[in-house]
Amino acid sequence: MNKKTHSDELLVIKVRHPALHFLTSLLMTTPLSKFKSDTTESTVDVDHRLWMQAALHGYEDKRGGVETTFGDFEEAKKTAAAIKWEAIENLGTLLESFSDKLESRGTKVCWASNGKEAVDYILQVCRDHGTQKIIKSKCMTTEEIHLNPALQAEGMEVVESDLGEFIVQLREEEPFHFVFPAMHLKRDKISAIFEEKLGTEPSSDPEELTMIARNLMRRKYCEADIGISGANFGVADTGMISITENEGNARLTTSLPKVHIAVMGIEKVIPNMEDLSVLLPLLGTAGAGQWMTAYNSMIGGPRQPGEVDGPEEFHVVLVDNHRTRLLADPEQRDALRCIRCGACLNVCPIFKNIGGHSYGTTYQGPIGSVITPHLRGLQSYKHLSYSSSLCGACTDTCPVKIDLHHHLLRNRRDAVREKGGRMERFCFRQFAQVMSHPKLYRGSEGLMRLGAKLWSPLEGKKADPLKAWTSTRTLPSPAPKSFHRQWREQRGGDS
Amino acid sequence: MSGKQAILGRIREALAHPSHPEVRTLAGNGERDVEKARAFMPPGGETVEERLQNFARLSEVLKVELVLVPDLEAAKESLNAMREVEGWTRIASHHHDLSDRLVTGLQPDLLWTDDQPGIDALERCEVGISVCEALIAQTGSILVTGKGCGGRALSVLPPHHVVLATRDQLLPDLYAGYEHLRKTYGDSLPSFISFITGASRTGDIERILVLGAHGPKRLTVVLIG
C-alpha cells in the first residue's frame, strides 16, 4: 500500500510537470510522498504511538501543576505575547541596537541573509583558528542551515553535547521533537547505540547511560577549539543572548573553548532584559512543565577586562533565511513570536500519532506546519497544513498566543489561491451553490442516495473512483431520511 | 551592500504592510507592562520570612540542599563538616569578602580562580565554592555572574557547587534580580550572567530525571543569617 501511495503521487505530478516528474522519479521522493510513506509507517506501530502519547501526556500533566502556581497564567501569556509582538513590529530597530551593543563590547556580529551565508561565515571563523574539534550545544537554527555536515566535510569533528542531540547524532537521524530530540527512543536502543559507537557496556539504567555521555563529554569540552551554541532570546537593550537549558552543556560549551559562536534567528530579539522575567518562566513551564529551566544564562561578549575566564572571541550570527518572508505576511507574522517551547507539539493529536520524523522538517508539529511553507516553499509543504484536525489545542496552549490553527487554514487558502486545480475550484463553486440554495440542497439529497447505491458495488475495487479516500477509511452511507424530513414528519409539517 | 543593510531593508519592506487587524486582535492584545506582570507570575513573598519559605520549599522540589546557619562561625563549621563527609581534597573558590573568610583555611592548598589556574586544574576539583549576586524566592534560583562570582566555569565545572549567601540577598522575583543587576553594574554588565535553578539535570532518556548531566550533580546553598 505504501508503494501505491507513492506512485499515485508521482502520477499527479507527471500530468502537471513532466520535468519535475523526471527529477522526482530519479529521487523517488518529494516532501509529500515522503510524508505519506513515513506517516503510513509510523502510524501502524501502535506500541510506539502509545508510548509516545504517554510521554507527551507527562509533560502536559506537569505543566498543569506548575500553571496553578502562577498569579494568573492567562494574563502572563498575554504579557509574553505583547512582548514578542512589540519585538516583531520593531524588529529592525531592535536588531540594530542589539548588534551595536554587542559590537561595543568586542563581539563580532554577522548578518546572514540565508543559510549559506551563515555557514560560510562560521566555516571561515573555524578555518582562521585552524579548528579541528568543535563542541556544540543544542541549536535548531544550525539544524535548519545544515551546519554540521558542512563542518564535517572540512574534516572537523563536531560533537553535540546535549544528551538527546548526542543520541540522535550517534544514530545519524534528525531530532524527533525540537525540545526533546530523543524522546522516541527507549533505553535499550540508547544503550545499543552507545555500545555500537562508543564501545561501552550495555546498561538499562538511565543514570548510567547519562554518565557515559557525561564522562565522554567532559574531555570534549576541554579539548574543543570552538564552542557553537544557539540563543533563545537576544536582549536588545543590553546586547546579550540568553540561553535556556537543563544540563549545563550550553554553559560549558560557551565558557571553556577559546572561541564561542552563537547562531540565532533574527526573530529571537526582545526589547529589554526585564522582559525575560516573564518569558523565562513561561518557556520552562509551557514546554516541559518546569518552574524554571535549570540554567538561564546571558552572554554579552567575550571575556571582559577584570573577568577571570570566558572565550577570547565571541561571534553572533544573525540568520534571516526567509524569516523576512514570513514577516512580510501581515496575517501570519505573529508566528515569528514563537519561543520554541514545544508545547504545541505536546498537545497535538497529529504529532501524537505520526511522530516528529514524519514531518520531514526542522521544526515539527503545529508551529512547523505553519512556518515551514514560508521558509521552504508553500507548494512543497502545503500538505502539512492539511495534517491537522483543526482542534485548536495548539492555539490554546501557546504561551505567546500564536493563532496556530487558523494559520493552517490561511496556508491552505493561500496554497489554493496561488495554484488551485481547475477541478477543485469548479467543485467548490458547485458546493457553494448547493449549500446556499435550500431547494437545490434538498434535491441533491436524493441524488446522493442514488449515487451511493450505484457506487456501493464498486467499493474497494480497482475501478472505485473514491479509492483515494476508501483505501484507508469507510465512507459513511447517507441517512435514509434527512433531518429536515424527519422533523417535518414528526412535527406534522410545521417546519 | 552588506548583509546588515540587506536584512534591514527586507525588514523595512515587510513591515510597510501593517499587521492584519484580525490577527492583531486575536493574538496581540496584551499589555507589555512587565512590572505589572509581576502579579501574574508565581509569588516571591513580601517579607524576608515569606521569601525564605518559598525558597526553601522550591529548594526541596529542585533537590537543592539548603543549609541555614545563624552566623559565619556556623557556616565555617558546616563547610568543614561537608569536607569531612565528602572527602574533598581539591577545593576551588574565588576571592570575595565572604569566601575569603569562609573558605580560607578549609584546606592548606586551595585553587583560586582569580589566579586563572586553567580548565584542567579546575576540572580536577571536587567542589567549587562561590558567592552569588542574589537568591530568587519566586523560582528558587541562584543568580551568579562571571564578574562577581569567580568566573563562568567555577559554578558549572566541578561536580559539586556550594553557594555562599546571606539572608539579605533573598530577592522576591526575577524582576528584582534584573533590577539588582542594573543597580550593581549599571552599563557595564558582566559578560556572563546566569540564573541557576537546581543542579544540572536531564530527562532525555525516557523522561527519567537524572542529576548531573554535564554540570554539577549537587548544589548546596549555605544561607547565613
Side-chain angles (χ1 to χ4, degrees), chain B residues 48-80:
Chain B
V48 178
E49 275 315 308
E50 274 175 31
R51 286 174 208 164
L52 184 58
Q53 253 175 33
N54 278 329
F55 191 84
R57 180 176 50 82
L58 285 167
S59 293
E60 206 179 315
V61 178
L62 293 163
K63 301 188 163 55
V64 175
E65 298 151 44
L66 179 62
V67 184
L68 299 172
V69 289
D71 51 34
L72 283 174
E73 217 30 62
K76 207 163 189 171
E77 270 169 40
S78 117
L79 283 177
N80 270 318

PDB file of all heavy atoms in Angstrom, chain B residues 48-80:
ATOM      1  N   VAL B  48      10.860  38.979  54.178  1.00  0.00           N
ATOM      2  CA  VAL B  48      12.016  38.091  54.093  1.00  0.00           C
ATOM      3  C   VAL B  48      11.621  36.673  54.530  1.00  0.00           C
ATOM      4  O   VAL B  48      12.058  35.680  53.931  1.00  0.00           O
ATOM      5  CB  VAL B  48      13.180  38.616  54.965  1.00  0.00           C
ATOM      6  CG1 VAL B  48      14.361  37.668  54.906  1.00  0.00           C
ATOM      7  CG2 VAL B  48      13.593  39.996  54.502  1.00  0.00           C
ATOM      8  N   GLU B  49      10.764  36.601  55.551  1.00  0.00           N
ATOM      9  CA  GLU B  49      10.319  35.286  56.037  1.00  0.00           C
ATOM     10  C   GLU B  49       9.607  34.497  54.943  1.00  0.00           C
ATOM     11  O   GLU B  49       9.870  33.314  54.725  1.00  0.00           O
ATOM     12  CB  GLU B  49       9.393  35.457  57.256  1.00  0.00           C
ATOM     13  CG  GLU B  49      10.127  35.580  58.576  1.00  0.00           C
ATOM     14  CD  GLU B  49      11.244  34.551  58.730  1.00  0.00           C
ATOM     15  OE1 GLU B  49      10.972  33.353  58.538  1.00  0.00           O
ATOM     16  OE2 GLU B  49      12.391  34.957  59.001  1.00  0.00           O
ATOM     17  N   GLU B  50       8.672  35.199  54.269  1.00  0.00           N
ATOM     18  CA  GLU B  50       7.931  34.543  53.184  1.00  0.00           C
ATOM     19  C   GLU B  50       8.865  34.102  52.068  1.00  0.00           C
ATOM     20  O   GLU B  50       8.731  33.020  51.506  1.00  0.00           O
ATOM     21  CB  GLU B  50       6.895  35.511  52.603  1.00  0.00           C
ATOM     22  CG  GLU B  50       5.576  35.525  53.345  1.00  0.00           C
ATOM     23  CD  GLU B  50       4.632  36.600  52.790  1.00  0.00           C
ATOM     24  OE1 GLU B  50       4.704  36.897  51.580  1.00  0.00           O
ATOM     25  OE2 GLU B  50       3.856  37.132  53.590  1.00  0.00           O
ATOM     26  N   ARG B  51       9.810  34.957  51.752  1.00  0.00           N
ATOM     27  CA  ARG B  51      10.757  34.627  50.692  1.00  0.00           C
ATOM     28  C   ARG B  51      11.571  33.391  51.062  1.00  0.00           C
ATOM     29  O   ARG B  51      11.796  32.509  50.245  1.00  0.00           O
ATOM     30  CB  ARG B  51      11.711  35.800  50.442  1.00  0.00           C
ATOM     31  CG  ARG B  51      11.039  36.934  49.723  1.00  0.00           C
ATOM     32  CD  ARG B  51      11.978  38.114  49.630  1.00  0.00           C
ATOM     33  NE  ARG B  51      11.196  39.333  49.582  1.00  0.00           N
ATOM     34  CZ  ARG B  51      11.669  40.544  49.798  1.00  0.00           C
ATOM     35  NH1 ARG B  51      12.953  40.701  50.084  1.00  0.00           N
ATOM     36  NH2 ARG B  51      10.890  41.596  49.720  1.00  0.00           N
ATOM     37  N   LEU B  52      11.973  33.362  52.316  1.00  0.00           N
ATOM     38  CA  LEU B  52      12.766  32.225  52.772  1.00  0.00           C
ATOM     39  C   LEU B  52      11.939  30.942  52.673  1.00  0.00           C
ATOM     40  O   LEU B  52      12.432  29.897  52.233  1.00  0.00           O
ATOM     41  CB  LEU B  52      13.232  32.461  54.206  1.00  0.00           C
ATOM     42  CG  LEU B  52      14.159  31.393  54.773  1.00  0.00           C
ATOM     43  CD1 LEU B  52      15.405  31.258  53.904  1.00  0.00           C
ATOM     44  CD2 LEU B  52      14.564  31.733  56.196  1.00  0.00           C
ATOM     45  N   GLN B  53      10.673  31.059  53.065  1.00  0.00           N
ATOM     46  CA  GLN B  53       9.783  29.898  52.990  1.00  0.00           C
ATOM     47  C   GLN B  53       9.669  29.397  51.552  1.00  0.00           C
ATOM     48  O   GLN B  53       9.780  28.206  51.280  1.00  0.00           O
ATOM     49  CB  GLN B  53       8.390  30.293  53.481  1.00  0.00           C
ATOM     50  CG  GLN B  53       8.056  29.739  54.838  1.00  0.00           C
ATOM     51  CD  GLN B  53       6.711  30.273  55.307  1.00  0.00           C
ATOM     52  OE1 GLN B  53       5.824  30.509  54.485  1.00  0.00           O
ATOM     53  NE2 GLN B  53       6.568  30.452  56.601  1.00  0.00           N
ATOM     54  N   ASN B  54       9.425  30.329  50.626  1.00  0.00           N
ATOM     55  CA  ASN B  54       9.303  29.961  49.220  1.00  0.00           C
ATOM     56  C   ASN B  54      10.591  29.344  48.692  1.00  0.00           C
ATOM     57  O   ASN B  54      10.578  28.330  47.993  1.00  0.00           O
ATOM     58  CB  ASN B  54       8.952  31.184  48.365  1.00  0.00           C
ATOM     59  CG  ASN B  54       7.472  31.485  48.391  1.00  0.00           C
ATOM     60  OD1 ASN B  54       6.652  30.565  48.514  1.00  0.00           O
ATOM     61  ND2 ASN B  54       7.110  32.746  48.288  1.00  0.00           N
ATOM     62  N   PHE B  55      11.698  29.963  49.052  1.00  0.00           N
ATOM     63  CA  PHE B  55      12.985  29.473  48.555  1.00  0.00           C
ATOM     64  C   PHE B  55      13.258  28.070  49.097  1.00  0.00           C
ATOM     65  O   PHE B  55      13.712  27.185  48.364  1.00  0.00           O
ATOM     66  CB  PHE B  55      14.115  30.436  48.950  1.00  0.00           C
ATOM     67  CG  PHE B  55      15.416  30.131  48.262  1.00  0.00           C
ATOM     68  CD1 PHE B  55      15.660  30.613  46.990  1.00  0.00           C
ATOM     69  CD2 PHE B  55      16.373  29.341  48.876  1.00  0.00           C
ATOM     70  CE1 PHE B  55      16.858  30.318  46.325  1.00  0.00           C
ATOM     71  CE2 PHE B  55      17.574  29.037  48.231  1.00  0.00           C
ATOM     72  CZ  PHE B  55      17.811  29.526  46.955  1.00  0.00           C
ATOM     73  N   ALA B  56      12.918  27.864  50.363  1.00  0.00           N
ATOM     74  CA  ALA B  56      13.152  26.558  50.986  1.00  0.00           C
ATOM     75  C   ALA B  56      12.254  25.489  50.351  1.00  0.00           C
ATOM     76  O   ALA B  56      12.694  24.372  50.068  1.00  0.00           O
ATOM     77  CB  ALA B  56      12.900  26.645  52.487  1.00  0.00           C
ATOM     78  N   ARG B  57      11.003  25.860  50.110  1.00  0.00           N
ATOM     79  CA  ARG B  57      10.052  24.908  49.513  1.00  0.00           C
ATOM     80  C   ARG B  57      10.533  24.494  48.120  1.00  0.00           C
ATOM     81  O   ARG B  57      10.586  23.313  47.774  1.00  0.00           O
ATOM     82  CB  ARG B  57       8.673  25.570  49.426  1.00  0.00           C
ATOM     83  CG  ARG B  57       7.572  24.726  48.834  1.00  0.00           C
ATOM     84  CD  ARG B  57       6.224  25.467  48.881  1.00  0.00           C
ATOM     85  NE  ARG B  57       6.282  26.831  48.343  1.00  0.00           N
ATOM     86  CZ  ARG B  57       6.225  27.132  47.056  1.00  0.00           C
ATOM     87  NH1 ARG B  57       6.119  26.173  46.160  1.00  0.00           N
ATOM     88  NH2 ARG B  57       6.296  28.384  46.642  1.00  0.00           N
ATOM     89  N   LEU B  58      10.938  25.490  47.317  1.00  0.00           N
ATOM     90  CA  LEU B  58      11.401  25.187  45.959  1.00  0.00           C
ATOM     91  C   LEU B  58      12.719  24.421  45.966  1.00  0.00           C
ATOM     92  O   LEU B  58      12.953  23.543  45.138  1.00  0.00           O
ATOM     93  CB  LEU B  58      11.521  26.470  45.137  1.00  0.00           C
ATOM     94  CG  LEU B  58      10.178  27.042  44.696  1.00  0.00           C
ATOM     95  CD1 LEU B  58      10.335  28.460  44.166  1.00  0.00           C
ATOM     96  CD2 LEU B  58       9.542  26.162  43.634  1.00  0.00           C
ATOM     97  N   SER B  59      13.585  24.744  46.937  1.00  0.00           N
ATOM     98  CA  SER B  59      14.861  24.027  47.026  1.00  0.00           C
ATOM     99  C   SER B  59      14.614  22.539  47.198  1.00  0.00           C
ATOM    100  O   SER B  59      15.292  21.702  46.610  1.00  0.00           O
ATOM    101  CB  SER B  59      15.686  24.541  48.200  1.00  0.00           C
ATOM    102  OG  SER B  59      16.078  25.863  47.968  1.00  0.00           O
ATOM    103  N   GLU B  60      13.602  22.228  48.010  1.00  0.00           N
ATOM    104  CA  GLU B  60      13.295  20.821  48.241  1.00  0.00           C
ATOM    105  C   GLU B  60      12.836  20.155  46.944  1.00  0.00           C
ATOM    106  O   GLU B  60      13.291  19.075  46.585  1.00  0.00           O
ATOM    107  CB  GLU B  60      12.218  20.713  49.315  1.00  0.00           C
ATOM    108  CG  GLU B  60      12.287  19.409  50.050  1.00  0.00           C
ATOM    109  CD  GLU B  60      11.222  19.339  51.137  1.00  0.00           C
ATOM    110  OE1 GLU B  60      11.054  20.339  51.864  1.00  0.00           O
ATOM    111  OE2 GLU B  60      10.569  18.288  51.218  1.00  0.00           O
ATOM    112  N   VAL B  61      11.928  20.825  46.232  1.00  0.00           N
ATOM    113  CA  VAL B  61      11.442  20.284  44.956  1.00  0.00           C
ATOM    114  C   VAL B  61      12.607  20.104  43.984  1.00  0.00           C
ATOM    115  O   VAL B  61      12.691  19.113  43.259  1.00  0.00           O
ATOM    116  CB  VAL B  61      10.388  21.234  44.332  1.00  0.00           C
ATOM    117  CG1 VAL B  61       9.914  20.701  42.991  1.00  0.00           C
ATOM    118  CG2 VAL B  61       9.218  21.429  45.277  1.00  0.00           C
ATOM    119  N   LEU B  62      13.504  21.080  43.965  1.00  0.00           N
ATOM    120  CA  LEU B  62      14.600  21.078  42.987  1.00  0.00           C
ATOM    121  C   LEU B  62      15.792  20.234  43.436  1.00  0.00           C
ATOM    122  O   LEU B  62      16.802  20.166  42.748  1.00  0.00           O
ATOM    123  CB  LEU B  62      15.077  22.521  42.743  1.00  0.00           C
ATOM    124  CG  LEU B  62      14.074  23.443  42.054  1.00  0.00           C
ATOM    125  CD1 LEU B  62      14.475  24.907  42.254  1.00  0.00           C
ATOM    126  CD2 LEU B  62      13.997  23.131  40.568  1.00  0.00           C
ATOM    127  N   LYS B  63      15.674  19.619  44.605  1.00  0.00           N
ATOM    128  CA  LYS B  63      16.757  18.807  45.179  1.00  0.00           C
ATOM    129  C   LYS B  63      18.025  19.632  45.422  1.00  0.00           C
ATOM    130  O   LYS B  63      19.149  19.182  45.197  1.00  0.00           O
ATOM    131  CB  LYS B  63      17.052  17.596  44.292  1.00  0.00           C
ATOM    132  CG  LYS B  63      15.832  16.692  44.106  1.00  0.00           C
ATOM    133  CD  LYS B  63      16.224  15.415  43.394  1.00  0.00           C
ATOM    134  CE  LYS B  63      15.208  14.316  43.529  1.00  0.00           C
ATOM    135  NZ  LYS B  63      13.838  14.626  43.121  1.00  0.00           N
ATOM    136  N   VAL B  64      17.820  20.855  45.861  1.00  0.00           N
ATOM    137  CA  VAL B  64      18.942  21.705  46.280  1.00  0.00           C
ATOM    138  C   VAL B  64      19.078  21.558  47.793  1.00  0.00           C
ATOM    139  O   VAL B  64      18.081  21.612  48.507  1.00  0.00           O
ATOM    140  CB  VAL B  64      18.671  23.186  45.927  1.00  0.00           C
ATOM    141  CG1 VAL B  64      19.772  24.087  46.473  1.00  0.00           C
ATOM    142  CG2 VAL B  64      18.526  23.359  44.433  1.00  0.00           C
ATOM    143  N   GLU B  65      20.313  21.335  48.274  1.00  0.00           N
ATOM    144  CA  GLU B  65      20.496  21.225  49.724  1.00  0.00           C
ATOM    145  C   GLU B  65      20.624  22.640  50.295  1.00  0.00           C
ATOM    146  O   GLU B  65      21.561  23.355  49.965  1.00  0.00           O
ATOM    147  CB  GLU B  65      21.761  20.422  50.033  1.00  0.00           C
ATOM    148  CG  GLU B  65      21.696  18.989  49.523  1.00  0.00           C
ATOM    149  CD  GLU B  65      23.068  18.440  49.174  1.00  0.00           C
ATOM    150  OE1 GLU B  65      24.014  18.656  49.956  1.00  0.00           O
ATOM    151  OE2 GLU B  65      23.192  17.820  48.098  1.00  0.00           O
ATOM    152  N   LEU B  66      19.650  23.003  51.116  1.00  0.00           N
ATOM    153  CA  LEU B  66      19.679  24.334  51.719  1.00  0.00           C
ATOM    154  C   LEU B  66      20.131  24.206  53.164  1.00  0.00           C
ATOM    155  O   LEU B  66      19.485  23.523  53.964  1.00  0.00           O
ATOM    156  CB  LEU B  66      18.280  24.958  51.628  1.00  0.00           C
ATOM    157  CG  LEU B  66      18.101  26.340  52.230  1.00  0.00           C
ATOM    158  CD1 LEU B  66      18.978  27.374  51.541  1.00  0.00           C
ATOM    159  CD2 LEU B  66      16.637  26.776  52.155  1.00  0.00           C
ATOM    160  N   VAL B  67      21.262  24.838  53.493  1.00  0.00           N
ATOM    161  CA  VAL B  67      21.789  24.763  54.852  1.00  0.00           C
ATOM    162  C   VAL B  67      21.632  26.140  55.493  1.00  0.00           C
ATOM    163  O   VAL B  67      22.245  27.108  55.047  1.00  0.00           O
ATOM    164  CB  VAL B  67      23.287  24.358  54.825  1.00  0.00           C
ATOM    165  CG1 VAL B  67      23.806  24.192  56.241  1.00  0.00           C
ATOM    166  CG2 VAL B  67      23.489  23.092  54.013  1.00  0.00           C
ATOM    167  N   LEU B  68      20.769  26.215  56.510  1.00  0.00           N
ATOM    168  CA  LEU B  68      20.565  27.505  57.172  1.00  0.00           C
ATOM    169  C   LEU B  68      21.475  27.595  58.385  1.00  0.00           C
ATOM    170  O   LEU B  68      21.454  26.716  59.248  1.00  0.00           O
ATOM    171  CB  LEU B  68      19.104  27.640  57.608  1.00  0.00           C
ATOM    172  CG  LEU B  68      18.065  27.587  56.481  1.00  0.00           C
ATOM    173  CD1 LEU B  68      16.650  27.534  57.054  1.00  0.00           C
ATOM    174  CD2 LEU B  68      18.212  28.788  55.556  1.00  0.00           C
ATOM    175  N   VAL B  69      22.291  28.638  58.424  1.00  0.00           N
ATOM    176  CA  VAL B  69      23.184  28.805  59.570  1.00  0.00           C
ATOM    177  C   VAL B  69      23.046  30.224  60.133  1.00  0.00           C
ATOM    178  O   VAL B  69      22.795  31.164  59.371  1.00  0.00           O
ATOM    179  CB  VAL B  69      24.668  28.552  59.184  1.00  0.00           C
ATOM    180  CG1 VAL B  69      24.915  27.080  58.915  1.00  0.00           C
ATOM    181  CG2 VAL B  69      25.056  29.392  57.974  1.00  0.00           C
ATOM    182  N   PRO B  70      23.181  30.373  61.446  1.00  0.00           N
ATOM    183  CA  PRO B  70      22.956  31.695  62.044  1.00  0.00           C
ATOM    184  C   PRO B  70      24.074  32.694  61.736  1.00  0.00           C
ATOM    185  O   PRO B  70      23.816  33.874  61.580  1.00  0.00           O
ATOM    186  CB  PRO B  70      22.877  31.403  63.546  1.00  0.00           C
ATOM    187  CG  PRO B  70      23.563  30.083  63.737  1.00  0.00           C
ATOM    188  CD  PRO B  70      23.384  29.319  62.469  1.00  0.00           C
ATOM    189  N   ASP B  71      25.327  32.233  61.682  1.00  0.00           N
ATOM    190  CA  ASP B  71      26.416  33.205  61.507  1.00  0.00           C
ATOM    191  C   ASP B  71      27.600  32.591  60.763  1.00  0.00           C
ATOM    192  O   ASP B  71      27.588  31.410  60.393  1.00  0.00           O
ATOM    193  CB  ASP B  71      26.859  33.743  62.870  1.00  0.00           C
ATOM    194  CG  ASP B  71      27.146  32.593  63.833  1.00  0.00           C
ATOM    195  OD1 ASP B  71      27.628  31.542  63.362  1.00  0.00           O
ATOM    196  OD2 ASP B  71      26.862  32.742  65.039  1.00  0.00           O
ATOM    197  N   LEU B  72      28.629  33.401  60.576  1.00  0.00           N
ATOM    198  CA  LEU B  72      29.808  32.966  59.832  1.00  0.00           C
ATOM    199  C   LEU B  72      30.482  31.760  60.474  1.00  0.00           C
ATOM    200  O   LEU B  72      30.953  30.849  59.783  1.00  0.00           O
ATOM    201  CB  LEU B  72      30.810  34.129  59.735  1.00  0.00           C
ATOM    202  CG  LEU B  72      30.476  35.218  58.719  1.00  0.00           C
ATOM    203  CD1 LEU B  72      31.469  36.364  58.835  1.00  0.00           C
ATOM    204  CD2 LEU B  72      30.495  34.648  57.302  1.00  0.00           C
ATOM    205  N   GLU B  73      30.521  31.773  61.780  1.00  0.00           N
ATOM    206  CA  GLU B  73      31.169  30.681  62.511  1.00  0.00           C
ATOM    207  C   GLU B  73      30.493  29.350  62.182  1.00  0.00           C
ATOM    208  O   GLU B  73      31.150  28.350  61.849  1.00  0.00           O
ATOM    209  CB  GLU B  73      31.078  30.993  64.024  1.00  0.00           C
ATOM    210  CG  GLU B  73      32.284  30.606  64.848  1.00  0.00           C
ATOM    211  CD  GLU B  73      33.613  30.639  64.100  1.00  0.00           C
ATOM    212  OE1 GLU B  73      34.075  31.707  63.616  1.00  0.00           O
ATOM    213  OE2 GLU B  73      34.186  29.541  63.982  1.00  0.00           O
ATOM    214  N   ALA B  74      29.168  29.388  62.226  1.00  0.00           N
ATOM    215  CA  ALA B  74      28.400  28.171  61.941  1.00  0.00           C
ATOM    216  C   ALA B  74      28.560  27.755  60.480  1.00  0.00           C
ATOM    217  O   ALA B  74      28.597  26.562  60.154  1.00  0.00           O
ATOM    218  CB  ALA B  74      26.925  28.407  62.262  1.00  0.00           C
ATOM    219  N   ALA B  75      28.672  28.760  59.594  1.00  0.00           N
ATOM    220  CA  ALA B  75      28.853  28.461  58.176  1.00  0.00           C
ATOM    221  C   ALA B  75      30.183  27.736  57.966  1.00  0.00           C
ATOM    222  O   ALA B  75      30.277  26.761  57.211  1.00  0.00           O
ATOM    223  CB  ALA B  75      28.814  29.744  57.362  1.00  0.00           C
ATOM    224  N   LYS B  76      31.191  28.209  58.669  1.00  0.00           N
ATOM    225  CA  LYS B  76      32.514  27.612  58.555  1.00  0.00           C
ATOM    226  C   LYS B  76      32.481  26.155  59.032  1.00  0.00           C
ATOM    227  O   LYS B  76      33.035  25.257  58.391  1.00  0.00           O
ATOM    228  CB  LYS B  76      33.501  28.423  59.397  1.00  0.00           C
ATOM    229  CG  LYS B  76      34.909  28.332  58.897  1.00  0.00           C
ATOM    230  CD  LYS B  76      35.756  29.455  59.474  1.00  0.00           C
ATOM    231  CE  LYS B  76      37.103  29.472  58.778  1.00  0.00           C
ATOM    232  NZ  LYS B  76      37.899  30.636  59.110  1.00  0.00           N
ATOM    233  N   GLU B  77      31.770  25.952  60.135  1.00  0.00           N
ATOM    234  CA  GLU B  77      31.656  24.586  60.677  1.00  0.00           C
ATOM    235  C   GLU B  77      30.962  23.670  59.674  1.00  0.00           C
ATOM    236  O   GLU B  77      31.370  22.532  59.466  1.00  0.00           O
ATOM    237  CB  GLU B  77      30.836  24.600  61.981  1.00  0.00           C
ATOM    238  CG  GLU B  77      31.677  24.803  63.213  1.00  0.00           C
ATOM    239  CD  GLU B  77      30.798  25.065  64.423  1.00  0.00           C
ATOM    240  OE1 GLU B  77      29.737  24.398  64.528  1.00  0.00           O
ATOM    241  OE2 GLU B  77      31.146  25.954  65.230  1.00  0.00           O
ATOM    242  N   SER B  78      29.920  24.209  59.061  1.00  0.00           N
ATOM    243  CA  SER B  78      29.170  23.356  58.136  1.00  0.00           C
ATOM    244  C   SER B  78      30.013  23.024  56.903  1.00  0.00           C
ATOM    245  O   SER B  78      29.944  21.908  56.375  1.00  0.00           O
ATOM    246  CB  SER B  78      27.820  24.005  57.815  1.00  0.00           C
ATOM    247  OG  SER B  78      27.718  24.315  56.482  1.00  0.00           O
ATOM    248  N   LEU B  79      30.839  23.960  56.443  1.00  0.00           N
ATOM    249  CA  LEU B  79      31.738  23.672  55.317  1.00  0.00           C
ATOM    250  C   LEU B  79      32.775  22.613  55.709  1.00  0.00           C
ATOM    251  O   LEU B  79      33.076  21.696  54.944  1.00  0.00           O
ATOM    252  CB  LEU B  79      32.455  24.947  54.858  1.00  0.00           C
ATOM    253  CG  LEU B  79      31.638  25.922  54.010  1.00  0.00           C
ATOM    254  CD1 LEU B  79      32.459  27.173  53.706  1.00  0.00           C
ATOM    255  CD2 LEU B  79      31.176  25.286  52.713  1.00  0.00           C
ATOM    256  N   ASN B  80      33.282  22.752  56.952  1.00  0.00           N
ATOM    257  CA  ASN B  80      34.244  21.761  57.442  1.00  0.00           C
ATOM    258  C   ASN B  80      33.627  20.370  57.477  1.00  0.00           C
ATOM    259  O   ASN B  80      34.257  19.385  57.088  1.00  0.00           O
ATOM    260  CB  ASN B  80      34.710  22.144  58.846  1.00  0.00           C
ATOM    261  CG  ASN B  80      35.940  23.039  58.792  1.00  0.00           C
ATOM    262  OD1 ASN B  80      36.842  22.796  57.996  1.00  0.00           O
ATOM    263  ND2 ASN B  80      35.945  24.084  59.607  1.00  0.00           N
TER     264      ASN B  80
END
